[in-house]
């Protein structure tokens, strides 16, 4: 009996439904902690659920077993091919590699369409739906089809572009969140993302079947989808749900789909680089055998890299090193960090990875951080400039009445934006669509040239060829807010003690092609570390995602982006706990709303490390256990009612498949143990559960989208 009491502890459950569950865990003061781990409901309770707080007489006793964190060996599903989808803000694409030949990464087929002078390794993240909401096209085809529509007809069609950012910015993301098309009409975001992912699935599967007719579609493919490192759990779960809806994998086989973090994917690929596959901005380009060539201006280095990239596009297959690339061989044995800002079109992120030995896996030294805008921030600055010249009311009306023409204008600006350089001397001409000029004249009663003369913008002139003539200074000013934010964030991160000694700073993603960004980062940090741009910078994340799919264990340690835990009851300590938290039950004093932490913000968590908690159904016949999960951005929160602490999700343990009757009599119901195992060291938070008495799996899920 004494042994049993040593392993088990008793406590009171506080729940709104009068039934509850007790979470495991020991405390320094050796008390018998009282856990308030969430609301537990049986299948028969939904109709008589009482939202009022229960009386003391409704509180239920049960038991829990304290558990320690353990490391679980990760099991890999069998697959024949890895297909990675880089779902970008401005452009997207896919690549694949066969498990039998992991050193060869095959890029997607060449896309039809494109803009003159702009390489189309990927296709624009543009989706066109019919007025009824059915899929019509994606990418260049969607953009060109929308352009060809009659202006009045275009107002009925649903065209979406750069919609990935909306998922990051949505503070209350749910399965019902809607996205607004350029014509102002709304569609459920889950449907929009599913249409896009379904398109890539069809393209990739068809290409694989053309190469391997005998390859089965089901269970043979492991899918990988890239997301920004700064995306929170709801956004990651949203992308997974969209993939299920698109038919990439069935919900009952979640292991066939991996979520890859963009900076991680970039680091994974960059460690494979050879010296002739990168541009070192700190020391100039390298010649044969890795010898440094004479220093060249940033613009010259950039043009040289672009020319090498153009030549390499004749082949769609890239070979990677079986071990690590020459770049890593230059490192001395010991701790070396790699900083990788994902300067893509949309959200940009910065993370720091460490590699202690050339062949060792990556270890995250600082959790991913960043901001909402990369190259899109420049687009927004251009839009503000147009509002300053022509008026915000006109621009809103033009976008609503002439949505296809507005898309044409953004395309024209994108082409000019890519040619911006810090030392450029010639102006950049942005072509205005005829419908813009005509609509403005009818809207204002005078022409656009008059508007430019009347505005306070001195660095933008009117060209007789129907173009806005922007001086180099005007274009660079559009870059400055976004670039200044990126540079400031990098400086703050590199100043942290835990990331001292960074040797390499990699710029990857679409925005990293910008010579303006390259020059700003090099001038700010070239003296601290080597600033490196991979040769195929726009495909770095995509290739790294393929490598991650081939070996998901390559990143062994990650940092928790937030503090996660549950609300519990602990023994009340006079002078330590506030009086308003006092709860008296049967002569015992308890402190309510205590935050019991599973993991703390910025805590190192190993891949496969498991946090275990045991929960006991409050009575025989209970069908479901629901546990509220709380999170915050600091590690000093004590109560779930503290500022910044919020309910972020729920853990559901479904007991329908567990024998809750028969041998489990009401007398023994309180002792039944459901052991939940949570993993925080992966790119997604995962939960599994087991009925300890029967050794049977319990259906477990964690939901971040239903709050």
């Amino acid at each position: 009996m004494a042994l049993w009491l040593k392993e088990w502890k008793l406590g009171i459950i506080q729940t709104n439904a009068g039934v509850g569950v007790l979470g495991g865990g020991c405390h320094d003061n050796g008390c018998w902690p009282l856990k308030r781990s969430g609301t537990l409901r049986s299948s028969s309770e939904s109709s008589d659920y009482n939202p009022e707080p229960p009386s003391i007489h409704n509180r239920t006793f049960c038991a829990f077993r304290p558990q320690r964190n353990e490391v679980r060996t990760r099991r890999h599903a069998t697959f024949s091919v890895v297909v990675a989808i880089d779902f970008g803000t401005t452009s997207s694409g896919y690549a694949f590699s066969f498990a039998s030949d992991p050193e060869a990464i095959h890029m997607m087929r060449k896309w039809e369409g494109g803009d003159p002078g702009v390489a189309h390794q990927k296709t624009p993240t543009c989706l066109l739906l019919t007025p009824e909401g059915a899929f019509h096209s994606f990418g260049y085809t969607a953009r060109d089809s929308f352009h060809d529509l009659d202006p009045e007809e275009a107002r009925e069609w649903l065209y979406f572009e750069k919609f990935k950012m909306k998922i990051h910015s949505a503070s209350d993301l749910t399965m019902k969140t809607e996205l607004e098309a350029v014509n102002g009409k709304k569609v459920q975001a889950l449907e929009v993302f599913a249409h896009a992912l379904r398109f890539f699935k069809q393209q990739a599967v068809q290409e694989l079947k053309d190469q391997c007719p005998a390859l089965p579609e089901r269970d043979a493919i492991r899918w990988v989808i890239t997301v920004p490192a700064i995306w929170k759990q709801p956004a990651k779960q949203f992308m997974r749900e969209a993939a299920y809806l698109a038919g990439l994998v069935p919900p009952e086989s979640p292991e066939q789909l991996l979520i890859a973090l963009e900076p991680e994917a970039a680091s994974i690929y960059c460690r494979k680089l050879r010296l002739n596959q990168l541009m070192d901005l700190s020391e100039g380009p390298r010649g044969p055998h890795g010898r440094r060539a004479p220093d060249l201006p940033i613009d010259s280095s950039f043009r040289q890299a672009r020319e090498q990239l153009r030549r390499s596009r004749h082949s769609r297959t890239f070979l990677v090193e079986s071990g690590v690339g020459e770049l890593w061989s230059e490192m001395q044995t010991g701790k070396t960090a790699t900083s990788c800002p994902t300067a893509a079109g949309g959200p940009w992120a910065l993370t720091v990875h460490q590699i202690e030995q050339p062949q060792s896996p990556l270890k995250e030294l600082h959790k991913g951080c960043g901001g909402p805008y990369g190259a899109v921030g420049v687009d927004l600055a251009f839009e503000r400039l147009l509002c300053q010249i022509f008026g915000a009311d006109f621009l809103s009306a033009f976008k609503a009445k002439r949505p296809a023409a507005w898309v044409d204008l953004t395309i024209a600006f994108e082409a000019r934006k890519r040619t911006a350089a810090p030392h450029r001397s010639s102006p950049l001409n942005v072509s205005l669509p005829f419908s813009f000029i005509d609509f403005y004249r009818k809207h204002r009663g005078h022409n656009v040239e008059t508007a430019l003369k009347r505005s306070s913008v001195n660095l933008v002139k009117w060209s007789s060829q129907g173009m806005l003539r922007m001086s180099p200074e005007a274009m660079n000013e559009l870059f400055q807010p976004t670039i200044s934010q990126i540079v400031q964030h990098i400086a703050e991160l590199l100043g942290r003690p835990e990331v001292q000694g960074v040797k390499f700073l990699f710029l990857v993603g679409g925005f990293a092609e910008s010579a303006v960004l390259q020059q700003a980062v090099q001038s700010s940090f070239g003296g601290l570390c080597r600033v490196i741009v991979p040769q195929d910078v726009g495909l770095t994340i995509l290739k790294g995602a393929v490598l991650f799919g081939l070996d998901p264990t390559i990143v062994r340690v990650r940092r928790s982006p937030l503090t996660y835990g549950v609300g519990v009851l602990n023994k009340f300590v006079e002078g330590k706990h506030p009086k308003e938290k006092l709860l008296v039950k049967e002569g015992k004093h308890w402190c309510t709303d205590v935050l019991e932490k599973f993991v703390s913000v910025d805590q190192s968590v190993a891949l496969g490390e498991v946090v275990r908690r045991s929960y006991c159904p409050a009575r025989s016949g209970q069908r479901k256990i629901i546990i509220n999960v709380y999170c915050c951005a600091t590690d000093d929160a004590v109560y779930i009612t503290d500022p910044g602490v919020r309910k972020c999700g729920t853990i559901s343990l479904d007991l329908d498949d567990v024998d809750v009757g028969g041998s489990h009599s009401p007398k023994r119901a309180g002792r039944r143990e459901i052991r939940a195992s949570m993993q925080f060291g992966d790119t997604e938070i995962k939960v599994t559960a087991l009925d300890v008495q029967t050794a049977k799996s319990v259906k477990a899920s964690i939901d971040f989208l239903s709050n």
Side-chain angles (χ1 to χ4, degrees):
M1 187 65 170
L3 178 62
W4 182 86
L5 287 174
K6 185 175 181 180
E7 294 182 350
W8 288 76
K9 304 201 177 193
L10 297 178
I12 298 175
I13 307 308
Q14 177 185 348
T15 66
N16 289 341
V19 292
V21 65
L22 194 60
C26 296
H27 297 262
D28 295 337
N29 58 13
C31 69
W32 292 359
L34 183 67
K35 309 290 182 178
R36 189 180 77 177
S37 301
T39 301
L40 312 179
R41 306 185 184 94
S42 69
S43 59
S44 62
E45 293 174 294
S46 58
S47 61
D48 59 354
Y49 168 65
N50 180 8
E52 295 297 323
S55 66
I56 289 179
H57 301 291
N58 285 339
R59 306 184 193 280
T60 307
F61 283 91
C62 66
F64 71 93
R65 184 188 299 275
Q67 301 288 341
R68 296 180 179 179
N69 294 2
E70 301 176 13
V71 177
R72 173 185 293 174
T73 302
R74 182 167 182 163
R75 296 181 179 179
H76 299 291
T78 58
F79 58 93
S80 301
V81 61
V82 169
V83 178
I85 300 174
D86 182 12
F87 199 108
T89 301
T90 55
S91 60
S92 301
Y94 69 87
F96 58 92
S97 180
F98 294 97
S100 58
D101 187 18
E103 296 178 15
I105 299 177
H106 308 274
M107 306 308 297
M108 58 275 172
R109 288 168 173 165
K110 186 176 181 180
W111 301 104
E112 295 182 1
D115 305 316
V118 178
H120 49 286
Q121 299 165 291
K122 296 190 286 187
T123 195
T125 308
C126 304
L127 173 70
L128 182 62
L129 305 180
T130 67
E132 296 75 28
F135 177 83
H136 179 273
S137 52
F138 186 88
Y140 285 114
T141 304
R143 198 188 69 183
D144 296 342
S145 298
F146 187 62
H147 170 272
D148 294 339
L149 290 172
D150 178 85
E152 293 301 319
E153 190 180 8
R155 292 167 59 181
E156 300 300 322
W157 286 64
L158 302 167
Y159 182 78
F160 299 88
E161 62 177 356
K162 301 175 183 176
F163 50 86
K164 175 184 172 183
M165 291 178 56
K166 301 297 190 300
I167 300 305
H168 170 72
S169 59
S171 58
D172 55 348
L173 181 65
T174 70
M175 301 282 279
K176 302 297 185 181
T177 297
E178 294 182 323
L179 294 179
E180 188 175 292
V182 296
N183 63 358
K185 297 182 179 181
K186 294 183 178 181
V187 178
Q188 282 197 0
L190 197 67
E191 292 284 348
V192 173
F193 277 78
H195 280 308
L197 292 175
R198 191 178 298 114
F199 167 80
F200 282 113
K201 177 195 175 183
Q202 293 170 350
Q203 296 287 321
V205 169
Q206 185 58 53
E207 184 169 355
L208 288 171
K209 287 183 176 179
D210 291 345
Q211 294 196 25
C212 303
L215 182 70
E217 179 179 340
R218 186 176 178 87
D219 300 331
I221 302 175
R222 168 182 281 172
W223 296 89
V224 182
I225 301 176
T226 64
V227 302
I230 60 175
W231 270 19
K232 296 180 174 60
Q233 293 300 322
K236 296 176 184 177
Q237 182 184 339
F238 180 91
M239 189 63 83
R240 177 172 285 276
E241 295 292 342
Y244 291 155
L245 184 60
L248 265 69
V249 301
E252 57 270 19
S253 301
E255 69 281 352
Q256 284 185 249
L257 171 65
L258 300 179
I259 300 296
L261 306 183
E262 291 171 354
E264 282 189 3
S267 290
I268 291 169
Y269 177 69
C270 287
R271 71 199 295 263
K272 298 278 189 178
L273 290 173
R274 301 181 66 88
L275 296 179
N276 63 351
Q277 294 176 310
L278 57 88
M279 178 172 59
D280 190 340
L281 299 182
S282 304
E283 300 171 343
R286 291 174 176 260
H289 311 296
R291 297 189 181 94
R292 295 187 180 95
D295 290 343
L296 294 175
I298 293 292
D299 292 351
S300 176
S301 300
F302 185 61
R303 286 194 299 269
Q304 185 181 75
R306 288 291 295 272
E307 176 62 20
Q308 292 175 349
L309 184 59
R310 184 191 65 79
R311 294 174 180 174
S312 70
R313 291 192 186 115
H314 293 294
S315 173
R316 292 192 303 114
T317 300
F318 294 81
L319 299 179
V320 296
E321 296 286 314
S322 57
V324 293
E326 296 172 317
L327 178 65
W328 296 98
S329 66
E330 295 190 353
M331 297 182 180
Q332 297 179 354
T333 301
K335 293 184 178 180
T336 306
T338 303
S339 181
C340 179
T342 306
W348 61 272
L350 180 69
T351 188
V352 182
H353 289 118
Q354 172 180 292
I355 180 169
E356 296 185 351
Q357 299 290 339
Q359 297 287 350
S360 67
L362 296 173
K363 175 182 178 181
E364 189 176 41
L365 293 183
H366 191 277
K367 63 185 179 72
C369 52
Y373 300 124
V376 174
V378 184
D379 300 338
L380 294 177
F382 176 66
E383 187 171 335
R384 289 192 295 269
L385 177 66
L386 294 178
C387 290
Q388 186 178 353
I389 297 172
F390 303 106
D393 60 330
F394 161 76
L395 203 63
S396 296
F398 177 71
K399 291 165 68 175
K401 299 292 185 179
R402 299 289 187 270
W406 168 250
V407 172
D408 290 343
L409 178 55
T410 60
I411 294 171
F413 175 72
E414 176 69 22
R416 299 284 74 79
K417 181 180 69 176
R418 290 172 177 264
T419 63
H423 304 297
R424 184 186 178 107
S425 58
S426 58
L428 298 98
N429 295 324
V430 179
S431 178
L432 288 180
F434 172 77
S435 58
F436 183 98
I437 300 172
D438 183 64
F439 192 82
Y440 183 81
R441 180 175 54 80
K442 294 177 180 178
H443 190 82
R444 292 289 196 225
H446 56 264
N447 57 32
V448 295
E449 184 176 3
T450 302
L452 280 165
K453 291 180 179 179
R454 292 179 178 179
S455 74
S456 59
V457 180
N458 298 321
L459 298 178
V460 180
K461 305 297 181 182
W462 176 248
S463 168
S464 59
Q465 288 79 29
M467 299 181 179
L468 291 179
R469 177 163 292 178
M470 301 182 63
S471 67
E473 294 80 11
M475 179 63 79
N476 288 336
E477 282 185 7
L478 299 181
F479 279 79
Q480 288 315 305
T482 297
I483 289 182
S484 296
Q485 189 180 49
I486 293 175
V487 169
Q488 179 182 354
H489 204 90
I490 295 175
E492 291 175 355
L493 183 60
L494 295 183
R496 295 178 179 270
E498 63 269 28
V499 298
Q500 293 299 306
V502 169
K503 292 186 177 181
F504 296 91
L505 180 64
F506 289 97
L507 294 177
V508 301
F511 195 29
E513 293 181 345
S514 168
V516 180
L517 175 64
Q518 292 181 9
Q519 193 272 340
V521 174
Q522 164 59 22
S523 61
S524 299
F525 307 106
L528 299 175
C529 55
R530 291 170 62 179
V531 181
I532 292 176
V533 180
Q535 183 186 97
D536 49 347
V537 60
L539 299 177
T540 301
I541 295 171
L542 182 54
K543 295 178 183 178
V546 174
L547 297 176
F548 175 74
L550 291 167
D551 181 13
T553 66
I554 191 64
V555 181
R556 294 290 178 86
V557 179
R558 293 182 174 90
R559 297 274 181 161
S560 176
L562 294 171
T563 295
Y564 292 96
V566 294
V568 303
L569 303 177
N570 277 355
K571 184 177 180 181
F572 189 87
V573 178
E574 195 73 36
K576 175 183 177 182
H577 297 136
K579 291 185 177 180
E580 60 269 22
K581 300 293 184 184
L582 175 62
L583 171 68
V584 180
K585 169 65 176 177
E586 297 179 351
K588 295 184 178 180
H589 291 195
W590 304 96
C591 180
T592 65
D593 298 331
V594 176
L595 177 65
E596 185 195 42
K597 300 173 184 175
F598 293 151
V599 64
S600 295
V601 62
D602 212 27
Q603 176 183 332
S604 291
V605 186
L607 182 67
E609 184 174 340
V610 175
V611 178
R612 298 188 190 277
R613 294 292 187 271
S614 288
Y615 301 100
C616 300
R619 65 175 184 272
S620 178
Q622 186 173 322
R623 296 292 180 179
K624 179 167 286 191
I625 298 176
I626 301 177
I627 307 161
N628 292 332
V629 179
Y630 297 85
C631 71
C632 60
T634 62
D635 61 355
D636 56 356
V638 179
Y639 305 100
I640 62 175
T641 56
D642 284 352
V645 180
R646 60 184 176 86
K647 179 184 171 229
C648 62
T650 56
I651 296 174
S652 297
L653 306 178
D654 193 343
L655 308 183
D656 285 346
D657 297 330
V658 181
D659 181 13
V660 295
S663 60
H664 299 304
S665 64
K667 182 178 179 180
R668 292 185 52 83
R671 296 188 184 181
R672 291 188 55 244
E673 180 183 353
I674 306 299
R675 182 180 298 165
S677 302
M678 290 156 282
Q679 297 185 54
F680 294 89
D682 215 325
T683 58
E684 300 173 273
I685 297 176
K686 300 176 181 178
V687 60
T688 57
L690 181 75
D691 185 334
V692 175
Q693 288 182 328
T694 64
K696 293 182 179 180
S697 295
V698 174
K699 184 179 179 181
S701 62
I702 186 165
D703 182 15
F704 294 99
L705 287 175
S706 299
N707 292 296

